[in-house]
Amino acid sequence: MSGPKVVRVVTREEIIAICQGHIAALVAAFEQWQRVGKRNEIVDAEDIRLAQSRISAIGDLLAKDKFAELQKQAPLEIAFLKGDMETRIERAAEKASRERNEGNRRLRAANSLAKALSEKGLEVPPALSNPRSCSQEELQAAVTQGFALLAPSSLRSETTDRQRELAAKLGEGESQPTLADWLATQHPSAVEDPRLADLERRYEELRALDPERASKLSDRVEKISSDRSSRRSLLIDSLALDIAAERRAATDEADALVKLRAMEAQLKNIPTPASASQLSKIEDLLNGFPTFVEISNMVDTAAATLQTIIQKRAEQDRRAAILAGLGELGYEVNEGMQTAWVENGRVVLKSNKRPGYGVEIGGNPNSGMQLRTIGFAASADPRDALADISAETEFCGDFSVLQTKLAASGGELVVMKALGVGTTAVKRISAVPENEISDTNVRGTAPTPTVRRS
């Protein structure tokens, strides 16, 4: 058993607000995941449906009062969405890099074939002269034509139509030279640099995450791909550093935007003049083209505003929870006590069960509240030590019941520091100050302060 004590209160409303913050962060992370996925065509309708289903299930935990489970599951899902998108981007970048590599090999093959035709004084098909401007099918047709032109001239001039028809029939079922065949003759290690392939993959990852940042580097990627000078290695190293820096910047900016969107959602759940003002600032920022620094500064400002609003609400809710709980346990509570507590730093409640005694509550609910048994008597009156100890013991029991009530509603009442019953003399006051008593108070009743429900 304990006498005077310092306690910390966590109300149901406070826990609900924390859970709503987790949900807001989860929704913001999902929206970023969906936005990047759709832009790069790496998520489909089924992927989105499954993600929405998981998020809905986590949201349902709030309605079921499974607060601890929600606070556990939401961060796990956020981490999963982030990791999942990174994996999808890596796969997409690997595919895009392979396609880019194959495209470059086709161009080199076309250039080699065009050179061979030109050296023999033969006409070069237009698609081989400018392979970048034609489709793969057009390039394939040009390669086939080029192969035909490179056939020995004696065969082309001496064969008759009948001979060509017979040769065609005899060659049925045999494969014809294709662009793929030509590419197969080009030894990759002779023309491809593994470091270049890695560079192009990292560039594709950046492009998937932030196309605008990647576009600033696209010309350098193209030039390095066709560069055969001794400077190529240095150019690759330099560009690799720039791509890495842009990737970090893109990731930081995306994370900051997710945080800002989450705070925006939380502020919308708390309609106050301060939240409305902050929401207006966020909207103005996002309607433009904010830099990372501007987004970060807005995140800090929004976080400070949100924290101030939450603390103010929590302070009110904690006072209301303690007063309502003690009112239900037989202590006189009136509607003016929350205001008196704020103005005077303390409030005194009379006990209807034990005349001459009550409880004093003081302190800041956001840091720690002090509760102690008090007796109503003049300081000169003789003390009744046994009665004081009995009153302290009774309040200790009431406090345990209050803890149970708050826990049942989803809250918590934690003792941070306590002295034993009888350790110190019970504080005596001559009467409850007038500003702590309401004319509407009726002895034996305990009007319950209004507790906000989220």
Side-chain angles (χ1 to χ4, degrees):
M1 292 195 179
S2 61
K5 53 184 67 66
V6 177
V7 302
R8 177 174 59 84
V9 180
V10 180
T11 66
R12 172 187 174 86
E13 290 72 26
E14 185 178 356
I15 294 176
I16 288 175
I18 291 172
C19 289
Q20 288 174 335
H22 280 289
I23 292 173
L26 175 55
V27 171
F30 164 74
E31 289 175 347
Q32 171 70 2
W33 174 88
Q34 181 177 233
R35 185 161 45 249
V36 174
K38 283 186 173 181
R39 185 177 65 229
N40 293 281
E41 299 181 346
I42 52 179
V43 297
D44 56 26
E46 180 63 12
D47 294 326
I48 294 173
R49 187 193 67 79
L50 290 173
Q52 289 174 330
S53 177
R54 294 193 304 271
I55 293 172
S56 178
I58 292 174
D60 289 343
L61 295 174
L62 181 60
K64 298 175 182 177
D65 285 1
K66 295 184 178 181
F67 306 134
E69 185 67 16
L70 187 151
Q71 293 177 65
K72 175 183 176 182
Q73 291 297 326
L76 290 176
E77 180 64 21
I78 290 173
F80 170 78
L81 289 172
K82 188 171 184 178
D84 177 69
M85 184 48 61
E86 288 177 356
T87 299
R88 290 174 187 269
I89 286 177
E90 288 172 1
R91 287 201 299 260
E94 185 68 34
K95 180 182 177 183
S97 180
R98 286 197 305 269
E99 291 174 350
R100 174 192 289 269
N101 188 271
E102 288 299 319
N104 289 335
R105 290 183 65 192
R106 290 190 186 96
L107 294 177
R108 289 193 294 269
N111 291 333
S112 296
L113 185 54
K115 182 180 179 181
L117 290 169
S118 180
E119 289 175 349
K120 289 182 175 293
L122 299 173
E123 181 183 359
V124 178
L128 295 182
S129 299
N130 189 15
R132 291 182 181 274
S133 64
C134 62
S135 66
Q136 183 175 345
E137 291 75 16
E138 292 172 331
L139 188 57
Q140 172 65 66
V143 168
T144 302
Q145 183 182 355
F147 287 149
L149 292 172
L150 285 175
S153 59
S154 59
L155 291 178
R156 293 198 306 273
S157 61
E158 295 173 4
T159 53
T160 64
D161 292 341
R162 175 59 181 168
Q163 288 173 326
R164 282 192 291 272
E165 182 182 349
L166 179 60
K169 290 182 178 180
L170 291 173
E172 287 182 358
E174 296 182 5
S175 59
Q176 300 298 316
T178 64
L179 180 57
D181 296 330
W182 180 267
L183 292 174
T185 66
Q186 309 297 302
H187 197 285
S189 61
V191 292
E192 295 171 10
D193 185 343
R195 296 171 67 245
L196 176 60
D198 182 66
L199 181 78
E200 291 176 339
R201 178 180 58 79
R202 294 182 183 280
Y203 168 77
E204 292 296 340
E205 290 178 1
L206 173 61
R207 190 167 68 88
L209 183 61
D210 193 327
E212 185 176 348
R213 290 181 182 276
S215 66
K216 297 184 295 184
L217 304 174
S218 60
D219 288 344
R220 292 172 62 186
V221 174
E222 293 298 333
K223 289 179 181 179
I224 290 177
S225 297
S226 58
D227 191 290
R228 294 294 180 270
S229 70
S230 59
R231 299 177 56 250
R232 187 186 199 191
S233 181
L234 292 176
L235 293 174
I236 289 177
D237 290 340
S238 175
L239 183 53
L241 291 175
D242 290 342
I243 289 175
E246 291 291 348
R247 173 68 186 268
R248 287 193 298 271
T251 300
D252 290 344
E253 184 175 307
D255 290 345
L257 275 172
V258 169
K259 289 180 181 178
L260 187 57
R261 288 296 190 187
M263 290 179 188
E264 182 183 36
Q266 292 182 75
L267 287 167
K268 288 179 179 178
N269 288 331
I270 313 175
T272 68
S275 63
S277 175
Q278 187 63 56
L279 285 169
S280 178
K281 294 176 183 178
I282 293 174
E283 183 180 3
D284 289 343
L285 179 73
L286 295 180
N287 283 338
F289 299 93
T291 64
F292 170 67
V293 173
E294 290 173 331
I295 296 171
S296 297
N297 289 340
M298 186 61 73
V299 167
D300 292 340
T301 302
T305 300
L306 183 62
Q307 186 63 23
T308 299
I309 295 173
I310 289 175
Q311 285 184 348
K312 185 174 181 180
R313 286 192 62 179
E315 182 179 340
Q316 295 172 349
D317 290 338
R318 288 165 181 163
R319 284 196 175 98
I322 289 294
L323 292 174
L326 291 175
E328 292 175 1
L329 293 174
Y331 293 86
E332 292 186 2
V333 178
N334 64 67
E335 294 181 358
M337 283 187 169
Q338 280 210 53
T339 302
W341 188 346
V342 173
E343 292 176 351
N344 305 319
R346 66 164 195 154
V347 68
V348 174
L349 285 66
K350 290 183 178 180
S351 171
N352 291 324
K353 298 180 294 183
R354 185 176 289 270
Y357 288 91
V359 61
E360 180 185 74
I361 313 171
N364 185 342
N366 287 338
S367 56
M369 291 184 285
Q370 298 90 42
L371 287 84
R372 64 183 300 167
T373 301
I374 55 95
F376 297 106
S379 58
D381 292 346
R383 290 181 176 275
D384 186 339
L386 291 178
D388 287 353
I389 291 176
S390 178
E392 280 194 292
T393 301
E394 181 175 287
F395 176 66
C396 188
D398 290 340
F399 181 81
S400 296
V401 174
L402 181 59
Q403 282 183 306
T404 302
K405 284 179 174 291
L406 286 175
S409 69
E412 188 178 21
L413 180 57
V414 180
V415 176
M416 302 169 64
K417 181 180 179 180
L419 299 177
V421 171
T423 302
T424 59
V426 170
K427 180 180 179 179
R428 292 192 172 194
I429 60 176
S430 57
V432 180
E434 289 297 325
N435 61 357
E436 297 178 21
I437 301 178
S438 169
D439 292 337
T440 61
N441 184 51
V442 180
R443 185 175 180 82
T445 64
T448 302
T450 302
V451 181
R452 244 186 349 264
R453 295 292 176 185
S454 299

